[in-house]
Amino acid sequence: MAAAPLGRLVLTHLLVALFGMGSWAAVNGIWVELPVVVKDLPESWSLPSYLSVLVALGNLSLLVVTLWRRLAPGKSEQVPIQVVQSLSVVGTALLALLWHQVATVAGQYHSVAFLTLALVLALACCASNVTFLPFLSHLPPPFLRSFFLGQGLSALLPCVLALVQGVGHLECPPAPTNGTPAPPHNFPERFLASTFFWALTALLVTSAAAFQGLLLLLPSPPSVPAGGPGPGLRVGAPGVEEEEGEAALPLQEPPVQAAGTMPSPDPEAPRLLSAHNACLLGLLAVTNALTNGMLPAIQSFSCLPYGRLAYHLAVVLGSAANPLACFLAMGVLCRSLAGLGSLSLLGVLFGAYLMTLAILSPCPPLLGTTAGTVLVVLSWVLCLGLFSYVKVAASSLLHGGGRPALLAAGVAIQLGSLLGAVAMFPPTSIYHVFRSGKDCVDPCGP
């Protein structure tokens, strides 16, 4: 049968990308808005530590999803996805209304509303990895890359919105000839935190609407057998022919099966517990431990000594590297485990350089030079870009294992992120291995 019309194919890719955009947009938005909300909340700059703990507690939603799968075996992911999206939309909208509300707890003021809603959003975001990915097992691998492209936008768009808002914009006064230097002048933001959270709510509503559009555009999903994908949403049959066709035309939709026929199981399909798949899952866990847990904890320490401009460029361009890497994977997909391992090793080298800069903060090498600024920004972009590409490629290769393999991929992503965050908590919050400098003050001078 002829391939689907180009317009329908492009629309499906667009809807899948918008669907993926809603996966982590809520928590990413809270992180980038912290410099604004800490000015008014009683926890002040202790709030990031609270948020790290809440995001870790968000992994409890994996237990809820597991329980649902036990109680409703064989059901599709449509219901849990809609629950996750509803929690995200309602939680972010309530955040826009109530984020500044405080209450007395044990004799001290605390931002109970902000922290409670942050926990709700963390639960929803953590659950998205183990509900959104299995849903995509019904679609050919190219759509999985569109999903990760949208997931990259869930980090990029809140960063761009925060830059438009003017977060962290300050100006250093002229250095005095003698005496104590004057404090930096902080410019007010262009719009309030409530407006930022309303804009974030609009992004999440768009993502939820895209998912409903997917359900209307694609065939109705049947109950999914626990062993693999069913015929309902799969656009092409699994097998060697699909892989070869995808390699030749990565954006071309494979032929639609005849109505009412079940896809024949592929005897060559990789087993979930094979050494190859175990290595792919390991790569997913390690790369996400670094990109979602360890490296974000030291980004400010590695960049801020070189100035606010270096920090903002690293955040925005690093976030942009994620969707760009996903777009690259649509045209050029590395299928070699050795190749993906080499790319991961290269990313680890860039990460080691950034970790070294953070340890040497506030006096890293090449401080005050253009070369130092370029190196730190370029290292962040290449490090996050390489790891994003490895994540997309590994997930695409696991796609051949169907729903169980993509579920395992979601668990590996979430588990790696959790372990990375837990590993960085003692050096950052207990032992204070990393030291930050002060704005407009040279701590490395004579």
Side-chain angles (χ1 to χ4, degrees):
M1 186 179 293
L6 180 61
R8 181 176 180 272
L9 185 61
V10 171
L11 177 60
T12 307
H13 277 284
L14 177 62
L15 292 177
V16 170
L18 292 175
F19 168 53
M21 181 184 67
S23 56
W24 277 88
V27 168
N28 289 333
I30 292 177
W31 275 113
V32 300
E33 193 66 4
L34 280 181
V36 178
V37 300
V38 294
K39 299 176 184 178
D40 299 315
L41 296 181
E43 291 84 1
S44 186
W45 277 108
S46 296
L47 201 59
S49 298
Y50 284 86
L51 187 57
S52 297
V53 174
L54 293 176
V55 172
L57 289 175
N59 287 280
L60 293 174
S61 61
L62 273 65
L63 300 178
V64 178
V65 175
T66 302
L67 179 62
W68 180 85
R69 293 184 190 281
R70 292 288 185 181
L71 297 177
K75 298 295 183 181
S76 69
E77 278 74 23
Q78 179 177 340
V79 172
I81 287 175
Q82 290 171 333
V83 170
V84 167
Q85 291 180 326
S86 299
L87 285 176
S88 298
V89 171
V90 174
T92 311
L94 290 176
L95 203 58
L97 296 171
L98 305 173
W99 72 268
H100 54 280
Q101 299 294 327
V102 298
T104 304
V105 179
Q108 292 184 334
Y109 285 110
H110 286 282
S111 49
V112 175
F114 181 88
L115 294 174
T116 301
L117 292 171
L119 176 60
V120 171
L121 294 174
L123 289 167
C125 290
C126 290
S128 69
N129 279 336
V130 291
T131 53
F132 289 17
L133 280 177
F135 172 80
L136 296 173
S137 66
H138 308 292
L139 297 174
F143 292 98
L144 185 63
R145 286 156 231 166
S146 296
F147 171 81
F148 281 113
L149 174 65
Q151 198 172 61
L153 293 178
S154 73
L156 176 62
L157 294 181
C159 287
V160 172
L161 187 60
L163 283 180
V164 173
Q165 186 184 16
V167 173
H169 186 203
L170 58 81
E171 185 179 79
C172 295
T177 54
N178 51 33
T180 305
H185 174 64
N186 291 280
F187 291 90
E189 289 78 25
R190 295 185 179 91
F191 49 85
L192 301 175
S194 296
T195 306
F196 177 90
F197 289 128
W198 280 122
L200 199 61
T201 304
L203 290 178
L204 293 169
V205 170
T206 302
S207 176
F211 178 65
Q212 296 304 313
L214 275 176
L215 296 180
L216 294 174
L217 185 65
L218 299 172
S220 300
S223 296
V224 181
L233 288 177
R234 180 170 284 282
V235 185
V240 178
E241 291 82 7
E242 177 183 312
E243 294 291 334
E244 293 174 350
E246 177 202 342
L249 291 171
L251 290 180
Q252 177 65 46
E253 190 173 27
V256 182
Q257 289 189 10
T261 61
M262 291 290 291
S264 58
D266 180 14
E268 301 298 327
R271 292 179 296 110
L272 179 59
L273 297 180
S274 67
H276 182 268
N277 282 0
C279 290
L280 292 175
L281 292 172
L283 280 178
L284 280 176
V286 171
T287 53
N288 283 276
L290 291 169
T291 55
N292 298 339
M294 301 182 72
L295 292 177
I298 56 103
Q299 187 164 38
S300 58
F301 297 104
S302 64
C303 296
L304 281 177
Y306 296 95
R308 292 266 177 162
L309 177 61
Y311 176 71
H312 287 309
L313 286 175
V315 170
V316 175
L317 296 181
S319 299
N322 190 324
L324 287 177
C326 298
F327 190 77
L328 176 63
M330 289 183 175
V332 182
L333 184 67
C334 177
R335 301 180 182 278
S336 166
L337 188 58
L340 293 179
S342 300
L343 292 176
S344 300
L345 181 59
L346 185 58
V348 168
L349 293 178
F350 284 115
Y353 174 71
L354 296 171
M355 188 68 71
T356 302
L357 295 182
I359 293 174
L360 297 177
S361 176
C363 300
L366 301 177
L367 186 63
T369 65
T370 303
T373 301
V374 171
L375 274 176
V376 69
V377 173
L378 192 61
S379 296
W380 273 107
V381 171
L382 293 176
C383 181
L384 296 179
L386 286 168
F387 284 142
S388 297
Y389 181 87
V390 170
K391 178 172 72 172
V392 176
S395 300
S396 297
L397 296 180
L398 286 168
H399 185 280
R403 180 172 176 263
L406 288 183
L407 177 60
V411 172
I413 289 172
Q414 207 53 50
L415 183 60
S417 303
L418 173 63
L419 293 179
V422 170
M424 290 305 294
F425 184 78
T428 55
S429 302
I430 298 177
Y431 300 108
H432 302 288
V433 173
F434 309 101
R435 294 183 300 151
S436 58
K438 295 182 179 179
D439 291 321
C440 303
V441 176
D442 183 12
C444 309

